[in-house]
C-alpha cells in the first residue's frame, strides 16, 4: 500500500489546478488557539487571491490532519458560497441544516482524500476484520481510529453497524449498505438510547474487546432471526466517556420487498464536483 497522502503537496498544488482558479496561494496551515473550534478556512479580506487554513493545535496529530483535509474540502467545494468557515465537530450532527450539509460534504472530501476507497476496499476484502486490523489500517493512513471505522462501514460488503456512545448515550449509528438493505438496525428502547442489556456496550467491566464476542444478533437487532449471529467489538477511549461499538452480522439476503433503503443514497464529493460543472483531474 502506498504511503499516506502528503497534504502539504496537495495544498501547494491546488492553486495551479482547475479547482484553484482565481487563487494565488493557500497559506501553510497555522495553529488556532481556540478550544471551541477544530479548524477554519478564511479568505484574506485584503488579498482575495489568498486563503488561510487554521487548525486546533491541542488536537492529536491524526485529528489535525483530518481537519486540514476537511478545510481543503471547503476550499474546493464551498469557497464560492462563503468567505470563511468556522468548523467544529458538533456541526456535522447538530448544526443548522445548511451547515450540516456542507460540513458533511467537507468530511466526505477529507475521507476520500486521506483514505482512498479503492485501497481501503482492497485491504479489507482479504482479511477477517477485527479492531486490530482496523487500528493498523488507521495508522497506515494516519487518521483517527474513529474516522477509519466510519470509512470501513461505507466500503465493507459485510453487514456492519458502528455505534458511537457519548456519556452512555448513542450519538450516532452508521450502517453499511448491506445492513441497510437487510434492515439490520439496533433496537431502540429509549430516547436518547442507552446500551442494551446483555451487550458488551452495557458491561462497564469490559473496556476493550478487539477480537470480538459472538452472540445472538437479535440481542442488538430486533428484526434478525433467532439463529443469526453477530460479533460485537468494543473500544473505550482513555477518558472513559466515549465508546465505539462495532457489530459484524452474518450474511443475509436483501429484503426484496423493501425498497426504502434506496431513498437515502449518499451524496459524495464527486457528486458535488459534477453538480458544480467540474470534473476531477485524473
Amino acid at each position: 500500500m502506498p504511503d499516506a497522502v502528503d497534504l502539504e503537496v496537495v495544498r501547494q498544488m491546488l492553486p495551479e489546478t482547475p479547482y484553484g482558479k482565481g487563487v494565488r496561494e493557500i497559506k501553510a496551515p497555522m495553529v488556532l488557539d481556540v478550544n471551541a473550534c477544530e479548524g477554519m478556512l478564511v479568505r484574506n479580506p485584503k488579498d482575495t487571491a489568498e486563503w488561510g487554513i487554521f487548525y486546533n493545535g491541542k488536537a492529536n496529530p491524526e485529528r489535525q490532519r483530518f481537519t486540514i483535509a476537511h478545510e481543503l474540502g471547503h476550499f474546493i467545494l464551498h469557497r464560492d458560497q462563503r468567505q470563511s468557515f468556522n468548523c467544529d465537530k458538533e456541526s456535522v450532527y447538530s448544526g443548522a441544516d445548511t451547515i450540516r450539509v456542507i460540513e458533511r460534504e467537507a468530511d466526505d472530501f477529507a475521507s476520500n482524500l486521506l483514505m482512498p476507497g479503492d485501497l481501503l476496499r482492497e485491504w479489507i476484502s482479504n482479511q477477517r476484520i477485527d479492531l486490530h486490523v482496523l487500528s493498523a489500517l488507521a495508522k497506515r493512513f494516519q487518521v483517527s481510529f474513529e474516522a477509519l471505522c466510519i470509512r470501513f462501514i461505507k466500503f465493507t460488503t459485510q453487514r456492519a453497524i458502528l455505534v458511537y456512545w457519548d456519556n452512555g448515550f448513542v450519538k450516532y449509528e452508521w450502517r453499511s449498505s448491506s445492513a441497510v438493505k437487510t434492515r439490520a438496525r439496533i433496537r431502540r428502547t429509549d430516547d436518547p438510547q442507552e446500551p442494551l442489556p446483555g451487550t458488551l456496550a452495557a458491561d462497564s467491566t469490559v473496556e476493550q474487546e478487539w477480537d470480538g464476542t459472538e452472540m445472538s444478533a437479535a440481542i442488538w437487532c430486533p428484526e434478525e432471526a433467532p439463529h443469526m449471529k453477530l460479533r460485537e467489538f468494543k473500544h473505550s477511549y482513555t477518558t472513559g466517556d466515549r465508546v465505539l461499538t462495532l457489530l459484524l452480522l452474518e450474511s443475509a439476503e436483501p429484503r426484496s420487498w423493501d425498497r426504502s433503503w434506496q431513498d437515502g443514497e449518499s451524496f459524495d464529493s464527486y457528486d458535488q464536483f459534477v453538480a458544480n460543472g467540474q470534473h476531477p483531474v485524473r
Side-chain angles (χ1 to χ4, degrees), residues 175-196:
R175 297 186 293 158
S176 67
S177 60
S178 55
V180 172
K181 292 175 184 178
T182 56
R183 296 187 65 184
R185 57 170 62 90
I186 68 171
R187 186 187 307 274
R188 295 287 182 167
T189 58
D190 298 293
D191 187 17
Q193 179 64 48
E194 296 181 282
L196 297 167

Side-chain angles (χ1 to χ4, degrees), residues 91-184:
S91 297
V92 175
Y93 304 106
S94 58
D97 288 346
T98 303
I99 294 176
R100 282 205 305 269
V101 169
I102 66 172
E103 289 302 316
R104 286 175 179 172
E105 289 173 354
D107 268 0
D108 283 346
F109 177 91
S111 296
N112 289 330
L113 179 63
L114 298 177
M115 298 170 279
D118 55 344
L119 293 179
L120 181 61
R121 187 182 290 109
E122 178 184 356
W123 185 264
I124 64 178
S125 63
N126 298 318
Q127 300 199 56
R128 177 178 168 84
I129 297 299
D130 57 30
L131 297 193
H132 300 284
V133 170
L134 298 183
S135 176
L137 194 53
K139 292 177 181 176
R140 191 63 186 265
F141 282 130
Q142 297 179 28
V143 297
S144 71
F145 184 62
E146 179 187 353
L148 191 283
C149 287
I150 293 173
R151 191 70 167 163
F152 164 76
I153 291 293
K154 182 171 183 178
F155 283 93
T156 183
T157 58
Q158 297 185 64
R159 296 202 302 152
I161 302 174
L162 181 69
V163 186
Y164 181 99
W165 308 90
D166 189 0
N167 288 301
F169 298 100
V170 170
K171 185 168 186 178
Y172 66 69
E173 174 189 354
W174 290 85
R175 297 186 293 158
S176 67
S177 60
S178 55
V180 172
K181 292 175 184 178
T182 56
R183 296 187 65 184

Side-chain angles (χ1 to χ4, degrees), residues 18-31:
Y19 305 122
K21 185 177 180 180
V23 176
R24 185 185 67 258
E25 181 182 13
I26 306 172
K27 302 289 286 185
M30 294 168 279
V31 172

Side-chain angles (χ1 to χ4, degrees), residues 189-243:
T189 58
D190 298 293
D191 187 17
Q193 179 64 48
E194 296 181 282
L196 297 167
T199 65
L200 295 181
D203 189 345
S204 60
T205 66
V206 178
E207 293 185 354
Q208 309 290 344
E209 178 49 81
W210 281 34
D211 296 312
T213 295
E214 186 176 280
M215 63 183 66
S216 169
I219 294 176
W220 274 101
C221 305
E223 297 194 32
E224 291 295 303
H227 66 276
M228 298 298 287
K229 303 291 185 182
L230 62 72
R231 287 188 293 150
E232 179 183 349
F233 302 84
K234 182 177 182 179
H235 172 64
S236 301
Y237 290 85
T238 54
T239 55
D241 57 349
R242 297 180 299 133
V243 174

Side-chain angles (χ1 to χ4, degrees), residues 231-265:
R231 287 188 293 150
E232 179 183 349
F233 302 84
K234 182 177 182 179
H235 172 64
S236 301
Y237 290 85
T238 54
T239 55
D241 57 349
R242 297 180 299 133
V243 174
L244 274 179
T245 293
L246 176 64
L247 307 174
L248 296 182
L249 294 85
E250 288 184 320
S251 297
E253 290 298 318
R255 304 194 181 194
S256 58
W257 46 266
D258 180 17
R259 290 288 180 264
S260 61
W261 59 271
Q262 294 178 328
D263 297 336
E265 293 181 326

